[in-house]
Structures are given as structure tokens and as C-alpha cells.
Amino acid sequence: MKEFTLIFRMSDFEKVKPSPEEMQERMNWLASIASQNKLVDKGNSLIPNAESAKTVRSGDVVTDGPYTEIKEFIVGYVIVRTEDIDEAVEMAKTNPIFKIGGNVEVREVLKRD
Amino acid sequence: MKETESYNELLPHMFRQEYAKMTAILCRHFGLKHIEIAEDIASDTFLKASEHWAINGIPENPTAWLYTVAKNKTKDYIKHLSVFESKVKSDLDSNKSVQSDFEYNEQIIKDSQLAMIFAVCNPANNYESQIALALQILSGFSVEEIANAFLTKRETIKKRLHRARLNLRNNNFQIRELTKEEIESRQSTVLSSIYLLFNEGYFSKTNNQLIRKELCFEAIRLTKVLSDNKLTNTSQTNALMALMCFQSSRLEARTDQKGEAILFDDQDRKLWNKLLIEKGNFYLRNATIGKEISKYHLEAGIAYWHTTANKNKWRSILQLYNQLITMEYSPITALNRTFAFSKVYGPEKAILEAEKLKLNENNQYHELLGYLYTQSNIPKAIEHYEKSMELTKSEIEIKSLKKEIERLKEKTTSNNVYKK
């Protein structure tokens, strides 16, 4: 089994705060993976607001807000355990984030030990 | 005459609890290393009680009577046994000076019981051994009774207990007032042992209703010892207690007179024990004063919703199962979560969820799929129920599965008649 980090990205600040229904949908998605014993780490949500995010650049340059050069910002991550990347991609496809214009980046975890 | 009759009822009940308490007090006196001496004196004391009370009736204060006898027996023991001088005393002397007299009062009894619970729920032993040991030492069950509860051979239980006792003796745990550090480092083990003891009763393999109830109520009694002590009366202790009260409230309703399981929806709610539900509510309120959420909190929450007739409860139950499964995976939680999912989103969507679980060797997995297919695909439902029958060892389950398969088969034939 391999481990993959699913990185959630959004481009619309307005839609980040979920409604109770959206919250329930997200929990259902996460619990579905956990029910298959494939959840390694339920991860965290990352707050994208200006007062909760800073970006630090070379030369002591600090700007407010998350890194948005690609017009997107990271809102959270989850780590799953699957046979291969295709299975992780299939999991990502069922995430409700697509309903609110987000996307998911799937990245294999390099395990050092 | 009346008194000699009632002693027959009083003694076995009293025997267990008082025997366990007395053993704990004597262990405080002799040290865990000599638990056998403590047990010998305790059982001698109760033997004497059974003889004496049968003839003379029950004394006015039975507990005081028992402790006086135990004290005398301890004195005799120390006086007469020469082995004590040469072997035991030197061991004991290294801890504290041995007196032939020992103290007992409500507080000492409580402290010793608590310490004994912490001694027995010892990570040095695996959970199976811990539970067997807890039943023997903390609850005064005989080897026979433990073997019946586990549906295991007497010899196996004997061996298990023997090994566990060796570990216990070699582990230098002191039966005395516990320190805060000891409690903090051991309490989660203690709670999970009690939790497993309860489940052993609640989901027992045995058909014997009496044994099941006794295991459940022993788990509750031990948790009460924890909640009565300030240091162990934690949020998790209260949550566990709430969970066990809610579950136990249905003990009467969940089996019929033949010991066959009655499904939740078919249970007679009038048989649910209201007092236990109220107690559960009380402990659940205590448990939710802080911010902590443990698996006991989540399970108590689920058990709470089950005691209500609220129409929207399944949504809340699903949410709690969602949290529970992301906290700790277990096949049974995954199955229960999927059942709750079906109650909220219907069997069609739940089948998709269920088939992802891939618990092909699990009888309950096939039972769940059988249930989910009942409405849409009867042959498939029967197939899963049959698979579940192959996998289970429980006679009760086989019976109720057979019944369900019969019912489905009748349904298909009567449907065919309509079509004609």
C-alpha cells in the first residue's frame, strides 16, 4: 500500500465557509474512506483569511494572505492509503469540493526511514 | 426459620462483592505478591459465614461480622504458619512492618477496590486475560462461571488466569491509595478493560441471559467505583458510564424468552428500563461539561439517540459514527456507520458504501448487505444472508437468519402468484 496526500484547493474565498449540508457531505466523504480503513490522517483545514495567513518570501518580504500566485489557495489536506495512485484519484473524484469550484491535487508521500 | 431461608439468597450475592472487597483489603495488608493468602483467608471467612449463618441466622451487621472473622483468621494465620516466619514475613518486612491486625472502613474499602481495579487492568496482561482476571478478582466469579461466559473450556480459563496472576504478582503494584500520576498513566487501560468486559456481556456469545446481565452490571459497578473517586471521576469515566447505562436499558427488550435476538425496530419499548436511561442522561451531562470528546463520548451519544423516538435521529447518529470512524477504525463501526447511512440516504446509496468495505469474511457484513438488498434484489439478499449463516458460529444468529430467508422466499413466491 502507498500513501497519498490529497491537497484541496479553492479559488473563491466566498465559498470556503461550508453550510451545514456541505459540512455533512464532507464528513460523509471522509468517513467513507475511514470505513475502508484507508484513512492515514484526517488532516486539517487551513484558514485562508488574510488575518490567518501570511506568505513569506526572500528578502524578508511578508504579504498578507495565502500564496495565490496560481489564483488558487490551499484550504486543507487529507492523507489516504491506497494500492496505487489511480485508486487515490478515484477517491478524490468523489469529494464534494467540485460542487463549489475547487480542485484536488493528489501527491504520493515519500516515506523516509 | 425465615432467616435461615433468606441466607441462601443473600449469601451468593453478597459473597461475590464482599469477597472481592475483602480480598482487596487483605491484599493491601499482605501485598499483591501474596494474593493467594488473601484469597484463602477471604474464602475461609465466607465458608465460615455460610456454616454459621445457616444455623444461627444472619447477624445484625453482616459486614462487621465478616471482617471480625477475617481479622481473627489473619491473626491465626500469622501465628500458626511457620512458613510465614521463614519465607513470607521477610518479603513483607521489606515493604512495611506486618501487623496481624488490619484496618477497614468505608474509605479504605473504596481505596483498596480502586487500587485493585488498577492492578488488575494491567497492560502486562492482554485484554482477554485482564477481563478473566477482573471477573475473578474484582467480581468474585468462579472459574466455571468465567468459562461459561466466554464459552471456553475450564482448563483454558484456568491456564489463562494462572499466567495472568504470575504477571500480576511480579508487577510491583501496591494496593493502597493511588497517586495522581499512577491514575493518569493507567486510566485509559482501565476504562478500555471495563468497556470490553461490558461488551463481552452485551454482545456475548452465550445464550445465557443471566450471565450476560451479570457481566454488564459488573462493568457498571466497577465504573461506579471510578466515578465515586474524585481522581478517577473524569469526563471519559462519565461518558463510559452513560454509554453502559443506555445500552443496558435495552437488555430486557433485546431477546425473547427463548433467548432469540429481537431486532431494534421490533423491540417493545415498554421493556426499556427508564431508570437506566435517566441515569445515562445524568452521566452524559456530566461527561459533556468539559470539551473532551473521546470514543466513549461518541458512543454514548449514539446510544442516547437510540433511546429516543426522534424522527431525525439517524442524521445525528450518522454524524456521530462519521466522527467515530475517523477517530478509530474498526469493522463493526464501519458496518454500523453504513447502516446509519442507509437510514439517512436509503439502501441504494448505502449498498455502494457497503460494497467498498470489502469485509468478505465478516458475517455481519453479509447480514448488512442482505438487509440492504431486501427491497431491491431478493435473490441477492438471500445470497448474502446464506453467506452470513456460513460464517457465523452463533446459534441464535443462524436461527434468525433462517427465519429471514424463509420470509424472503415466501415473499417471492407470493409475488409470482400475483403476477399470474
Side-chain angles (χ1 to χ4, degrees):
Chain A
M1 286 289 213
K2 290 176 172 176
E3 287 182 13
F4 294 90
T5 304
L6 310 187
I7 301 159
F8 302 104
R9 288 199 301 232
M10 298 274 296
S11 49
D12 188 347
F13 282 96
E14 294 297 305
K15 289 181 179 155
V16 170
K17 211 166 181 280
S19 67
E21 290 74 30
E22 282 167 352
M23 203 59 220
Q24 170 96 49
E25 260 188 292
R26 283 187 203 178
M27 267 313 280
N28 284 344
W29 177 82
L30 192 67
S32 175
I33 294 170
S35 296
Q36 301 166 54
N37 201 11
K38 287 177 177 168
L39 186 67
V40 178
D41 188 328
K42 64 177 172 173
N44 279 300
S45 294
L46 306 175
I47 305 169
N49 300 343
E51 64 269 25
S52 304
K54 301 254 185 217
T55 302
V56 182
R57 291 161 213 272
S58 66
D60 284 342
V61 179
V62 179
T63 51
D64 283 347
Y67 184 83
T68 52
E69 258 55 12
I70 43 173
K71 298 208 170 18
E72 281 175 343
F73 50 91
I74 295 170
V75 287
Y77 66 92
V78 160
I79 304 173
V80 298
R81 184 190 307 117
T82 58
E83 210 56 63
D84 49 34
I85 193 162
D86 296 335
E87 192 188 348
V89 166
E90 286 310 309
M91 271 182 190
K93 279 183 188 170
T94 57
N95 189 279
I97 198 168
F98 304 109
K99 291 183 189 170
I100 48 170
N103 62 56
V104 185
E105 184 174 328
V106 181
R107 300 281 294 270
E108 183 169 350
V109 177
L110 175 66
K111 287 202 225 159
R112 297 190 194 87
D113 47 18
Chain B
M1 184 65 201
K2 204 183 160 211
E3 274 174 346
T4 49
E5 265 173 55
S6 62
Y7 112 91
N8 278 325
E9 283 168 28
L10 182 65
L11 203 63
H13 176 74
M14 200 169 160
F15 179 83
R16 279 203 183 141
Q17 287 185 14
E18 294 302 320
Y19 168 84
K21 284 182 192 166
M22 187 177 282
T23 307
I25 292 240
L26 288 163
C27 275
R28 186 187 175 108
H29 190 62
F30 287 109
L32 257 186
K33 235 178 175 173
H34 303 288
I35 182 170
E36 274 79 17
I37 301 174
E39 287 176 324
D40 279 348
I41 291 177
S43 50
D44 272 358
T45 302
F46 281 90
L47 185 67
K48 190 165 178 190
S50 69
E51 292 165 358
H52 195 267
W53 296 3
I55 298 162
N56 303 310
I58 299 160
E60 210 165 285
N61 185 342
T63 310
W65 190 98
L66 287 167
Y67 278 94
T68 311
V69 173
K71 276 186 186 188
N72 290 334
K73 291 215 177 277
T74 308
K75 275 183 200 155
D76 288 349
Y77 181 84
I78 292 174
K79 229 185 281 169
H80 294 304
L81 207 66
S82 58
V83 180
F84 184 82
E85 290 303 323
S86 56
K87 201 173 139 210
V88 181
K89 200 174 177 186
S90 57
D91 275 354
L92 290 173
D93 278 345
S94 58
N95 293 330
K96 54 179 177 179
S97 62
V98 186
Q99 290 146 355
S100 57
D101 206 3
F102 62 86
E103 292 254 3
Y104 84 93
N105 60 36
E106 272 304 305
Q107 196 53 47
I108 294 178
I109 292 178
K110 273 188 183 163
D111 288 348
S112 312
Q113 273 249 288
L114 185 69
M116 205 60 164
I117 294 176
F118 273 71
V120 165
C121 301
N122 185 327
N125 284 316
N126 65 25
Y127 278 122
E128 274 183 337
S129 307
Q130 283 183 39
I131 293 174
L133 208 54
L135 285 173
Q136 193 186 40
I137 295 178
L138 304 174
S139 313
F141 278 49
S142 68
V143 172
E144 188 84 51
E145 287 171 314
I146 299 170
N148 283 339
F150 284 111
L151 286 188
T152 312
K153 286 195 195 111
R154 278 191 60 172
E155 278 312 302
T156 315
I157 296 291
K158 254 191 177 164
K159 274 183 205 150
R160 193 180 291 168
L161 284 166
H162 180 71
R163 273 196 302 270
R165 278 165 169 268
L166 271 180
N167 284 335
L168 195 65
R169 273 201 300 268
N170 296 335
N171 192 278
N172 280 320
F173 199 82
Q174 301 280 322
I175 303 298
R176 51 164 167 69
E177 211 173 320
L178 296 171
T179 65
K180 215 177 159 205
E181 288 70 36
E182 279 170 320
I183 285 176
E184 273 166 12
S185 72
R186 286 278 269 275
Q187 187 158 13
S188 72
T189 314
V190 171
L191 290 178
S192 47
S193 305
I194 296 178
Y195 173 73
L196 289 171
L197 169 64
F198 182 85
N199 284 346
E200 197 57 48
Y202 198 73
F203 303 104
S204 175
K205 299 178 196 88
T206 165
N207 277 358
N208 187 327
Q209 272 304 296
L210 205 66
I211 293 179
R212 305 177 77 149
K213 266 182 222 164
E214 279 188 15
L215 294 187
C216 290
F217 288 129
E218 269 306 306
I220 289 179
R221 190 179 69 82
L222 296 176
T223 313
K224 186 78 172 42
V225 177
L226 300 184
S227 70
D228 280 346
N229 184 297
K230 220 165 68 188
L231 285 175
T232 47
N233 186 22
T234 59
S235 164
Q236 288 200 24
T237 301
N238 280 281
L240 177 61
M241 189 67 144
L243 166 64
M244 296 192 297
C245 289
F246 288 138
Q247 300 280 66
S248 306
S249 71
R250 290 195 296 277
L251 274 173
E252 298 289 340
R254 59 200 271 280
T255 44
D256 65 15
Q257 282 158 336
K258 282 178 255 161
E260 282 180 40
I262 302 175
L263 294 177
F264 187 84
D265 287 336
D266 304 329
Q267 287 174 14
D268 179 0
R269 284 171 190 239
K270 276 182 238 131
L271 288 178
W272 290 1
N273 187 323
K274 287 203 186 62
L275 192 71
L276 279 169
I277 293 176
E278 274 165 31
K279 278 199 173 163
N281 287 331
F282 168 80
Y283 286 107
L284 189 59
R285 273 196 299 275
N286 281 353
T288 47
I289 289 170
K291 276 190 178 165
E292 188 183 10
I293 297 177
S294 66
K295 68 169 184 173
Y296 305 121
H297 285 83
L298 297 172
E299 288 195 46
I302 292 163
Y304 160 76
W305 282 109
H306 280 311
T307 66
T308 68
N310 189 313
K311 270 185 194 153
N312 296 318
K313 68 179 177 188
W314 285 105
R315 210 163 268 279
S316 308
I317 292 174
L318 175 61
Q319 251 168 5
L320 290 164
Y321 270 124
N322 279 348
Q323 273 178 279
L324 190 61
I325 194 76
T326 48
M327 191 181 277
E328 188 181 274
Y329 171 80
S330 88
I332 186 74
T333 307
L335 291 168
N336 283 332
R337 185 228 164 224
T338 311
F339 180 78
F341 190 90
S342 81
K343 288 284 188 183
V344 178
Y345 298 102
E348 295 286 305
K349 280 183 181 161
I351 287 171
L352 296 177
E353 283 290 294
E355 283 176 344
K356 285 186 206 158
L357 304 182
K358 298 202 167 61
L359 297 166
N360 289 315
E361 300 309 310
N362 183 315
N363 65 297
Q364 284 162 315
Y365 173 66
H366 290 286
E367 200 179 332
L368 175 68
L369 277 169
Y371 168 82
L372 294 175
Y373 272 117
T374 303
Q375 280 170 32
S376 57
N377 189 339
I378 289 184
K380 207 142 189 193
I382 292 175
E383 202 183 301
H384 280 293
Y385 279 139
E386 280 171 347
K387 184 81 192 161
S388 178
M389 264 172 67
E390 270 172 44
L391 291 167
T392 185
K393 288 191 188 86
S394 155
E395 289 295 325
I396 302 175
E397 270 174 34
I398 291 174
K399 256 191 193 170
S400 57
L401 285 166
K402 251 189 195 155
K403 226 194 246 170
E404 190 56 19
I405 291 171
E406 286 305 311
R407 193 183 70 84
L408 289 177
K409 280 184 178 162
E410 266 171 40
K411 215 174 157 186
T412 39
T413 45
S414 62
N415 275 353
N416 288 343
V417 172
Y418 282 126
K419 275 177 201 159
K420 280 175 195 168

